[in-house]
Amino acid sequence: MGKSKTRRFRSAPFSPAGPQRAASGEEPAGDGGDGDSPAAELVEKLQHPSADVREFACASISKLLQQKHTIPAFLQRDVVRCLGPLLLDQSLAVRETAAGALRNLSACGGFEVCDDMVTKDIMTPLVALLKECSAGLETNEVSPMKCKDAKKNCVEDIANEAVNVLWNVCECNGTAVSVFNKEGCLDVVLQYLKKFSTNVDLAISVAHCLQAVTEDNPELLSSFNASAHQILEYILLSQDNTMEHILLRTLLAGCVWNIKDTVPSSIQANTINVILKIFSESLVLDAGETVIQMKETEIQRLKLTAEAEAAEDVGDALENAIVNEDEEMEEPPQGKVKRENDVSDLLPSEKWELKQVTALLMAQQTALEIIVNMCCSEDPSDDEWEELSSSDESDLFMENSYDEGSGQLMSPLCLSAEVHAALMNNLIPKKILEKTSFPSSVAVDICMQSPSWKPIIRKMNTVQCRALMCLHSILLVSDVDCLGGAPTLQSLAQHLSQLVFSQPEFPKHTEFLEAVTSAMRALLQTMASKNISQCMTPEQLMTLCEAGIHNSNTSIRVNVVSILGIAGSVLAKVDDSAETLKMIGKFLLEVAMKDSSLVVAGEALDALFDVFADGKEAEKAALQIKLLPALKEFQPVFKVRMRKEGKGQYSTDQLCVLDNVKMNLRRFIVYQEKLQGRKTT
């Protein structure tokens, strides 16, 4: 029903579960079947006078909370109010494990649990903890409390867990965001951000949180003073090239886009160019190649580690044969102490390569989502950015960002709004198009063979889907000539068709289908508006539509119906197309009459109006499928459905569009009656 709209993405809703470790080398309690018995016992242990017992209870709860079915049992025992005070416990280890438990509760529990946490005043101890940690970082003091491990920076570890809790609850709850604003949490987390060169994990957690709290939060804008901008600018311009630092800069670029109203006009052009350069920096990397390289690096490292440990074991055996037992008891070998007592420090290094790949894919996903949001931004303040498209800085960035001979899709894109023009002039569209392809089969095979790497496949698929949605947005706001003209669009149509039809089986993954059909719909709209011939065969169209119409996702059904309508309206102008139009008309009629969603039914009617609006072939096909009597019979049924189902089930905008469809149905019936009347006379 009309042109498709761009879809905004919000920042990632929940942070991943943090590290869990049981105290004193013990294993956390099991879930006990329904999670009831261990919940009661562990919550009770949170009040134990021994810090070691409290730490063990927090660590055990943290592990169990990753299993969603255990969460209700803990909530029934008021675990939030029991864990809250432990954020300020005298033991640093208890603070860290309590924050880790709350992090997992907020991440795995979802919106309702986060609301409940805020209702139970988790923000009071959480903000107090964050401020205390920030003060400790500023003065370089860990307070009188000692870390169990002298090599650990307990304050930063606690802060990382606490920031993740803050991120999760602020993403889900408006009250939490208000507390963030009023309690000056921005200044607190910016102190953590300064640690990016030595603790990038903490900085990334802060960047995720900032991206969440800066979205649609005008009250916070006044807090971004010159000092705050200076911190962000310093990191955005940093040159660290690890994947974690690329992710950090990408997240902060999204934050800066959210607060663009606070950027002084004198540096607006430079700021947007920095943002786009950062997006290009992540999108230019090939995730598949990175997977292959990092997996090989991991294999070599593990091989060297195994050889070193084997040599060390031989050395230990020889030493044990000649060293006096008493001396050995007095001073154990240093290496052995590290392996036995410092296992948690070894874990990150064992997964370093996997961490790099994960960071890259998150950076690419984030960049693509922000580009989509840029394309569909409706903020009136965008007018202030109009001058950017012709700025000297934009021209300079184009020289730095574009590679010669890279193809027509590298051409500047002329968008309907000047801010979009500035965005696309500085982007690398070719790289977005590359991300729409399926992940490398070699990389997928590598990931399939390793349980710890297997989740990377889903992350690569998510990047592909985001790239398709990004392509969809670009097509909706771009001028055809600036996209490269008819040849480029036809090539793009072939590429999208290949994504759908080149697989042994028709794709069934809902997220992919929604993304690829959205891109196809936008592309066909653009091509039809300029009378550019389309490349999909009628058989391919019907295969796509017949598969998509049975999907439970409403957006997919709307897309395939719209695609069929666009293609049909073009075919109606072609000689000898009546048979194909009959097939299209029957399909659309059936969808309009039988689909469970009024929105899909309305889209099908709208498509029928387009297909059979004009042309001799359309008139012939309409008579043969008895379109007019079918629509006259369906008209009162559609009206009744709108009365019964409309209120409460659909948004105001959807009802407004459906009212238009109802009115157009009446007009189309009158139009068809006149056409047939002329033929009979």
Side-chain angles (χ1 to χ4, degrees), residues 416-446:
S416 56
E418 290 297 324
V419 62
H420 297 153
L423 171 67
M424 296 306 165
N425 280 338
N426 292 281
L427 194 59
I428 305 181
K430 181 186 176 187
K431 295 302 173 185
I432 294 175
L433 182 58
E434 287 175 356
K435 296 295 177 286
T436 64
S437 298
F438 287 111
S440 158
S441 58
V442 177
V444 171
D445 289 342
I446 287 172

Side-chain angles (χ1 to χ4, degrees), residues 287-509:
E289 287 298 319
T290 303
V291 166
I292 296 168
Q293 293 168 9
M294 287 296 168
K295 188 59 180 175
E296 181 60 31
T297 301
E298 181 188 68
I299 291 170
Q300 293 301 318
R301 178 179 55 77
L302 292 176
K303 180 181 177 182
L304 291 173
T305 301
E307 291 173 354
E309 288 179 349
E312 185 178 346
D313 289 340
V314 172
D316 287 348
L318 291 173
E319 184 179 356
N320 289 338
I322 61 175
V323 175
N324 182 279
E325 185 176 351
D326 291 336
E327 292 177 354
E328 207 174 303
M329 292 293 292
E330 185 178 344
E331 189 174 351
Q334 192 66 29
K336 187 156 286 193
V337 171
K338 182 175 181 64
R339 283 202 307 274
E340 290 179 356
N341 298 337
D342 198 25
V343 176
S344 61
D345 281 352
L346 294 176
L347 288 175
S349 63
E350 288 179 2
K351 297 181 179 179
W352 182 85
E353 296 85 1
L354 181 59
K355 197 174 179 183
Q356 295 293 303
V357 174
T358 302
L360 172 60
L361 291 169
M362 176 57 75
Q364 292 182 342
Q365 177 182 335
T366 301
L368 292 166
E369 289 176 355
I370 296 168
I371 293 168
V372 170
N373 292 348
M374 285 178 163
C375 289
C376 66
S377 175
E378 296 177 357
D379 191 341
S381 62
D382 285 346
D383 293 341
E384 300 170 10
W385 295 65
E386 288 183 354
E387 62 194 74
L388 297 177
S389 60
S390 58
S391 68
D392 294 337
E393 290 86 351
S394 293
D395 296 336
L396 177 63
F397 180 72
M398 283 180 64
E399 293 175 6
N400 294 334
S401 297
Y402 282 71
D403 296 326
E404 292 183 6
S406 55
Q408 290 184 339
L409 280 178
M410 296 288 283
S411 303
L413 303 178
C414 305
L415 309 182
S416 56
E418 290 297 324
V419 62
H420 297 153
L423 171 67
M424 296 306 165
N425 280 338
N426 292 281
L427 194 59
I428 305 181
K430 181 186 176 187
K431 295 302 173 185
I432 294 175
L433 182 58
E434 287 175 356
K435 296 295 177 286
T436 64
S437 298
F438 287 111
S440 158
S441 58
V442 177
V444 171
D445 289 342
I446 287 172
C447 294
M448 286 294 291
Q449 294 170 16
S450 174
S452 61
W453 284 70
K454 205 169 183 180
I456 292 296
I457 298 172
R458 183 172 181 179
K459 296 179 189 297
M460 289 192 290
N461 289 332
T462 298
V463 168
Q464 180 194 24
C465 292
R466 295 298 185 271
L468 286 165
M469 293 304 298
C470 193
L471 180 62
H472 162 253
S473 298
I474 291 172
L475 287 165
L476 288 181
V477 296
S478 303
D479 181 84
V480 172
D481 293 333
C482 291
L483 279 169
T488 301
L489 294 182
Q490 288 174 327
S491 175
L492 182 54
Q494 290 176 341
H495 169 69
L496 294 178
S497 297
Q498 188 176 20
L499 288 179
V500 175
F501 298 110
S502 64
Q503 302 302 301
E505 293 183 1
F506 191 86
K508 296 179 181 178
H509 188 258

Side-chain angles (χ1 to χ4, degrees), residues 43-207:
V43 170
E44 184 178 350
K45 285 182 178 179
L46 294 176
Q47 312 302 324
H48 199 279
S50 167
D52 285 343
V53 174
R54 296 197 301 276
E55 180 189 358
F56 170 76
C58 289
S60 300
I61 290 171
S62 183
K63 186 175 182 66
L64 287 173
L65 286 173
Q66 293 182 74
Q67 306 168 50
K68 288 189 176 183
H69 69 274
T70 68
I71 292 176
F74 283 103
L75 292 178
Q76 288 169 13
R77 283 159 180 79
D78 215 4
V79 71
V80 176
R81 285 200 172 99
C82 294
L83 286 170
L86 297 186
L87 293 176
L88 303 173
D89 195 274
Q90 290 297 305
S91 165
L92 291 179
V94 173
R95 290 186 179 199
E96 183 180 355
T97 50
L102 288 165
R103 173 183 179 177
N104 285 349
L105 179 63
S106 58
C108 301
F111 286 83
E112 291 183 3
V113 170
C114 288
D115 286 340
D116 184 61
M117 290 172 68
V118 174
T119 301
K120 292 179 177 175
D121 198 28
I122 196 60
M123 293 299 290
T124 297
L126 181 60
V127 170
L129 174 63
L130 289 162
K131 289 182 176 179
E132 189 172 320
C133 288
S134 177
L137 292 179
E138 286 181 341
T139 58
N140 291 320
E141 294 178 0
V142 182
S143 82
M145 299 169 283
K146 300 292 183 182
C147 286
K148 287 184 176 181
D149 181 354
K151 295 182 180 180
K152 277 173 61 76
N153 189 321
C154 291
V155 173
E156 291 183 10
D157 290 345
I158 294 168
N160 189 34
E161 297 294 330
V163 168
N164 276 278
V165 179
L166 183 67
W167 166 24
N168 290 344
V169 295
C170 285
E171 180 63 44
C172 300
N173 185 276
T175 302
V177 174
S178 297
V179 172
F180 183 98
N181 296 344
K182 293 174 184 177
E183 291 292 333
C185 290
L186 176 63
D187 292 335
V188 173
V189 297
L190 286 176
Q191 292 301 320
Y192 301 148
L193 202 55
K194 291 179 181 178
K195 295 288 182 179
F196 79 98
S197 59
T198 57
N199 193 337
V200 70
D201 290 336
L202 174 59
I204 287 172
S205 296
V206 171

Side-chain angles (χ1 to χ4, degrees), residues 236-299:
L236 291 177
L237 297 176
S238 64
Q239 298 299 312
D240 301 270
N241 59 2
T242 68
M243 301 305 174
E244 290 105 321
H245 285 90
I246 290 174
L247 171 58
L248 173 63
R249 289 193 290 269
T250 303
L251 290 167
L252 290 180
C255 172
V256 172
W257 175 258
N258 288 343
I259 62 166
K260 60 184 180 293
D261 292 349
T262 69
V263 176
S265 58
S266 59
I267 61 169
Q268 282 181 355
N270 183 61
T271 299
I272 196 170
N273 285 326
V274 168
I275 291 173
L276 296 169
K277 183 178 180 181
I278 289 168
F279 293 163
S280 299
E281 179 184 24
S282 66
L283 294 174
V284 76
L285 297 172
D286 187 321
E289 287 298 319
T290 303
V291 166
I292 296 168
Q293 293 168 9
M294 287 296 168
K295 188 59 180 175
E296 181 60 31
T297 301
E298 181 188 68
I299 291 170

